[in-house]
Amino acid sequence: GDSVTQMEGPVTLSEEAFLTINCTYTATGYPSLFWYVQYPGEGLQLLLKATKADDKGSNKGFEATYRKETTSFHLEKGSVQVSDSAVYFCALSLGSQGNLIFGKGTKLSVKP
Amino acid sequence: NAGVTQTPKFRVLKTGQSMTLLCAQDMNHEYMYWYRQDPGMGLRLIHYSVGEGTTAKGEVPDGYNVSRLKKQNFLLGLESAAPSQTSVYFCASSPPPSYGYTFGSGTRLTVV
């Protein structure tokens, strides 16, 4: 079935380090892809999305490129801050009415 | 603009008690969802609705019921609470899912 696989966490980085969180998917069609962020004690917030191959989503310094050939949507940020500490979820949606399918989340901790 | 509002934010129940969680959205979204979040399990879909008066089962519907009598509200009921239902519950809403979801801030439920 359709699924999302994220790298296992937790990920611990020093401030200003480069971040990559890997996300790969399995889908029967051509999904829309999303990254959500969950700060401690809060609900999930949409961080960025891409709807077709080679699209790049970006927001708040984070980027992810929809790679159909590798079925991937890796999240990157050039220089993380302590305030980026959160859990990050990759997700996909198939078709205009397909419910989102979430990965299990990757916890990021950024140390000053 | 309040977005998605969940009430209550915290609740402790005794085994066998019943309760209703309320989700309200003010964005005129057709789709609404209830998820539970447990450590190591990610987000699991309980029930969802594609419009007023409709409901459908998700991945883990047993022990829960839902109703969508008004477009802006989606209620999640527990008829006889069990300790296995201790979790954080999130409501979300969306236009068609491919646009992405807006989440509420969650309800932390403990069943003792």
Side-chain angles (χ1 to χ4, degrees):
Chain A
D2 305 318
S3 66
V4 174
T5 303
Q6 292 181 232
M7 63 187 290
E8 296 269 340
V11 174
T12 303
L13 295 174
S14 297
E15 207 165 22
E16 299 185 359
F18 185 87
L19 169 71
T20 300
I21 299 178
N22 291 337
C23 172
T24 57
Y25 66 89
T26 301
T28 51
Y30 299 101
S32 296
L33 300 171
F34 306 82
W35 277 102
Y36 282 80
V37 58
Q38 184 180 29
Y39 298 104
E42 299 183 9
L44 281 71
Q45 302 174 24
L46 179 62
L47 181 60
L48 53 85
K49 70 176 186 180
T51 57
K52 62 182 187 295
D54 300 324
D55 270 0
K56 178 185 283 188
S58 61
N59 187 21
K60 299 181 180 178
F62 291 90
E63 294 183 339
T65 301
Y66 189 141
R67 301 286 188 199
K68 189 176 74 170
E69 63 275 13
T70 55
T71 62
S72 65
F73 193 55
H74 304 321
L75 182 67
E76 297 182 335
K77 187 176 185 183
S79 176
V80 294
Q81 305 300 311
V82 172
S83 57
D84 294 325
S85 298
V87 180
Y88 292 82
F89 292 90
C90 185
L92 68 81
S93 172
L94 274 168
S96 63
Q97 299 189 20
N99 294 334
L100 261 64
I101 298 170
F102 288 89
K104 294 196 173 182
T106 303
K107 184 175 182 179
L108 170 66
S109 295
V110 181
K111 307 298 184 185
Chain B
N1 189 346
V4 177
T5 303
Q6 292 184 235
T7 53
K9 294 189 182 306
F10 302 94
R11 185 72 186 268
V12 178
L13 283 181
K14 293 183 179 179
T15 298
Q17 287 185 321
S18 63
M19 77 163 294
T20 300
L21 282 66
L22 172 63
C23 176
Q25 54 98 0
D26 62 2
M27 297 169 286
N28 202 36
H29 286 167
E30 288 292 336
Y31 294 72
M32 297 188 75
Y33 316 84
W34 277 106
Y35 285 87
R36 59 178 290 172
Q37 184 178 34
D38 302 291
M41 302 293 290
L43 286 158
R44 293 184 290 172
L45 181 64
I46 305 171
H47 285 281
Y48 64 100
S49 168
V50 301
E52 181 178 310
T54 74
T55 63
K57 294 180 180 180
E59 180 185 357
V60 289
D62 293 343
Y64 305 95
N65 56 75
V66 288
S67 64
R68 184 110 181 259
L69 299 179
K70 294 183 179 181
K71 186 177 184 178
Q72 63 267 34
N73 296 336
F74 195 30
L75 278 62
L76 178 70
L78 287 73
E79 291 184 347
S80 180
S84 61
Q85 294 178 304
T86 294
S87 187
V88 181
Y89 292 86
F90 286 101
C91 177
S93 71
S94 73
S98 58
Y99 286 78
Y101 295 180
T102 300
F103 281 84
S105 58
T107 295
R108 184 173 295 275
L109 175 66
T110 302
V111 183
V112 298

